[in-house]
Amino acid sequence: MASIGIVGAGTAGLHLGLKLLAQGIPVTLYSEQEPDAVRTGRLLNTVTHHAPTRAREREVWVDFWGVPELAMKRLSIHVHAPQPFSVQGRLSDPSLCVDYRVYQPRLAEAFVERGGRLEILPVDAVMLEKLASRHTLMVVATGRNGLTGLFPRIPELSPHTKPPRVLFAALLEGLRMPQPTSMHTNLIPGQGEVFESQIITRHGRVPSTLIEAIPGTELAALISRKRDDDPAALDASLLEVMRRFAPATYERIDPTEFGVRGPLDFLQGGFTPAVRRAWAPLGEGRFVMAVGDTHVTNDPVAGQGANGASASAFALAHAITDALLAERPFDEAFCRDTDARMWAAVAPTTHWSNALLEPPPAHLIDLLVTASRDTFVADAFVSDMMIPERILPICASPEATAAYISEARTPRADLLAASGALGWDTGTRIRPLAG
Ligand SMILES: Cc1cc2nc3c(=O)[nH]c(=O)nc-3n(C[C@H](O)[C@H](O)[C@H](O)COP(=O)(O)OP(=O)(O)OC[C@H]3O[C@@H](n4cnc5c(N)ncnc54)[C@H](O)[C@@H]3O)c2cc1C
């Protein structure tokens, strides 16, 4: 009987494994760490899952945090231009932010409960060859470090040759959380971006931040000091970041309590985004596929890496199922076809992430300014910007953006439904017809 081996139990490996199990295909996940080691380890990221990923989670019954009050319902964008302005919108489909130290071990448990096999084994290239003889197909999902070297970078799809941002992410204390759960995004021309959100952890809901600094800027200098060397000094720099670059967050800070929550609740550094070929040859005519960050590594500025990894994992699961049903071999032709299918699923996340690393074009600034003045445009824009397939065509040209603005000014049925305005409780957003 066919069996699939997956190296890496991150979101890509887990979503692929769970989807294949749901299709009745036996799967073994090889993970370098026990789920408990992940639970008690360092913060991995500050990932937000958006509506399409949440739909896939429901499809494989891992929507364990689907309580409405935990979901992120609002997004504010503060533009620190010479004349600052803010966009405040409501998401038609709320997003969800769960600490991956909670999320991934819980999904690994679900995988085992459903008959998946989990082996704790760090896999190198030699071991990968050995495992390939045990399985019909091997998939590498070891993230942006792991075994990426096996899969050649595609230069024409990878414009960055060094990290475009210096990153700092942390869980925080001494910051009063907004109600309802929401994200504050600060766009600081010439410096970078500062995000504040709330994340579900094993200690409940806590505030978090992601700071994306353009290298060589004041913002980068403030977050580059190694926190392990002097935690108090870094916390003071973080307070300064919030005071100068995230004033709406700073208003809710108690400076005497503010800082990184615990010694493992932060990460610092940077990485270079890349698109790699999604397959590589192994010995004896076998092939291995890559998925998730191993295939496509995006900068986190758009919050899309894991969402793309999930979309791509499902595309790969469908391709594997189709091949098994058609008794098609996992040969080079399969790899090439599947690479194209996976790239189609993940490409919008890469294009949107790379676009946000550049200064916005004039028509996108027009859209932001309009959204700051019109709540219908704001609601539509913040909802659409979470979904790259939707926002990319909207921003593709000045004409497309203008058409979008004029249409968004008329409230859309899904947004009205989300606001409750189609129910009996309020009519405040239904404007009287003219004449
Ligand atoms: C600060 C930050 C914020 C982010 N915010 C967002 C966001 O808001 N939204 C979003 O969609 N994305 C976000 N991302 C990106 C997201 O974290 C990644 O895209 C996503 O986690 C990739 O999933 P993955 O499964 O491919 O890799 P990973 O999550 O890295 O998982 C890889 C797994 O493989 C294991 N492994 C590695 N090497 C081996 C080996 N040799 N043998 C066996 N196992 C191995 C690792 O232990 C790990 O469990 C963010 C990233 C960062 C850094």
Side-chain angles (χ1 to χ4, degrees):
M1 180 161 190
S3 86
I4 307 299
I6 304 170
V7 185
T11 298
L14 286 163
H15 281 207
L16 174 63
L18 286 158
K19 182 69 181 162
L20 289 171
L21 281 186
Q23 324 248 45
I25 299 168
V27 184
T28 303
L29 264 175
Y30 299 94
S31 172
E32 63 180 352
Q33 290 184 84
E34 293 277 0
D36 272 346
V38 177
R39 266 191 195 101
T40 53
R42 178 174 288 281
L43 181 73
L44 294 165
N45 44 44
T46 49
V47 167
T48 304
H49 285 181
H50 305 303
T53 304
R54 298 192 64 202
R56 282 186 291 274
E57 288 166 338
R58 287 191 289 276
E59 212 180 305
V60 291
W61 309 286
V62 293
D63 184 23
F64 300 122
W65 302 272
V67 189
E69 49 272 24
L70 294 178
M72 188 177 101
K73 300 181 185 71
R74 286 172 195 254
L75 175 70
S76 301
I77 304 169
H78 309 285
V79 182
H80 298 245
Q83 290 190 328
F85 62 92
S86 295
V87 176
Q88 305 202 344
R90 292 167 304 173
L91 299 175
S92 55
D93 284 311
S95 299
L96 191 70
C97 193
V98 182
D99 187 338
Y100 265 20
R101 293 173 295 183
V102 172
Y103 183 86
Q104 292 184 342
R106 181 66 190 92
L107 263 62
E109 277 169 15
F111 172 80
V112 172
E113 283 157 17
R114 292 167 199 183
R117 209 177 132 90
L118 178 65
E119 272 192 40
I120 306 307
L121 181 70
V123 175
D124 60 13
V126 176
M127 178 60 73
L128 183 66
E129 286 281 359
K130 283 193 190 143
L131 295 176
S133 63
R134 285 196 210 163
H135 295 286
T136 322
L137 179 69
M138 286 303 296
V139 179
V140 171
T142 52
R144 62 179 180 270
N145 301 315
L147 293 164
T148 45
L150 292 174
F151 305 95
R153 175 175 169 274
I154 303 175
E156 56 275 26
L157 297 176
S158 310
H160 298 281
T161 50
K162 54 187 183 197
R165 293 288 189 271
V166 178
L167 301 176
F168 181 90
L171 307 189
L172 301 171
E173 58 188 0
L175 168 61
R176 186 166 45 79
M177 292 184 280
Q179 288 294 349
T181 299
S182 53
M183 180 179 280
H184 282 270
T185 297
N186 296 272
L187 307 180
I188 312 126
Q191 297 282 341
E193 300 79 22
V194 177
F195 302 89
E196 178 215 341
S197 59
Q198 301 83 49
I199 183 164
I200 301 159
T201 71
R202 64 192 168 120
H203 307 292
R205 196 168 146 265
V206 306
S208 66
T209 190
L210 166 62
I211 301 169
E212 293 243 344
I214 298 171
T217 58
E218 281 176 88
L219 182 58
L222 281 166
I223 59 165
S224 293
R225 189 195 290 258
K226 288 271 161 279
R227 187 174 191 274
D228 286 334
D229 295 345
D230 189 346
L234 193 279
D235 286 357
S237 293
L238 210 49
L239 186 62
E240 182 62 5
V241 168
M242 298 302 168
R243 189 184 70 77
R244 290 189 45 202
F245 300 115
T249 299
Y250 186 74
E251 280 173 9
R252 286 178 277 110
I253 285 178
D254 173 353
T256 60
E257 300 285 329
F258 180 73
V260 172
R261 215 180 134 87
L264 295 176
D265 288 338
F266 74 99
L267 56 93
Q268 286 180 283
F271 55 85
T272 307
V275 177
R276 300 175 195 87
R277 200 177 69 189
W279 59 276
L282 294 175
E284 298 177 13
R286 295 176 198 273
F287 292 87
V288 57
M289 298 291 306
V291 69
D293 275 13
T294 310
H295 173 212
V296 173
T297 307
N298 289 323
D299 184 274
V301 69
Q304 291 296 339
N307 289 282
S310 164
S312 179
F314 268 49
L316 176 55
H318 288 133
I320 291 171
T321 311
D322 292 349
L324 289 173
L325 285 174
E327 298 186 3
R328 182 182 176 186
F330 292 109
D331 55 8
E332 186 171 330
F334 166 84
C335 292
R336 287 184 186 281
D337 292 350
T338 305
D339 190 338
R341 250 168 115 164
M342 291 165 71
W343 175 239
V346 76
T349 68
T350 302
H351 296 319
W352 183 229
S353 302
N354 287 342
L356 290 188
L357 292 168
E358 302 299 327
H363 58 276
L364 184 50
I365 297 172
D366 287 348
L367 175 52
L368 283 166
V369 171
T370 311
S372 74
R373 295 173 183 158
D374 184 315
T375 55
F376 291 132
V377 178
D379 288 351
F381 175 63
V382 301
S383 300
D384 289 335
M385 73 174 281
M386 300 300 186
I387 302 176
E389 297 87 323
R390 283 203 210 151
I391 194 69
L392 282 168
I394 291 163
C395 299
S397 67
E399 295 74 24
T401 302
Y404 177 75
I405 289 173
S406 90
E407 198 188 318
R409 282 193 165 124
T410 314
R412 274 179 2 199
D414 61 329
L415 295 170
L416 284 171
S419 74
L422 291 185
W424 303 115
D425 55 336
T426 169
T428 51
R429 288 174 64 85
I430 299 177
R431 291 175 176 163
L433 291 172

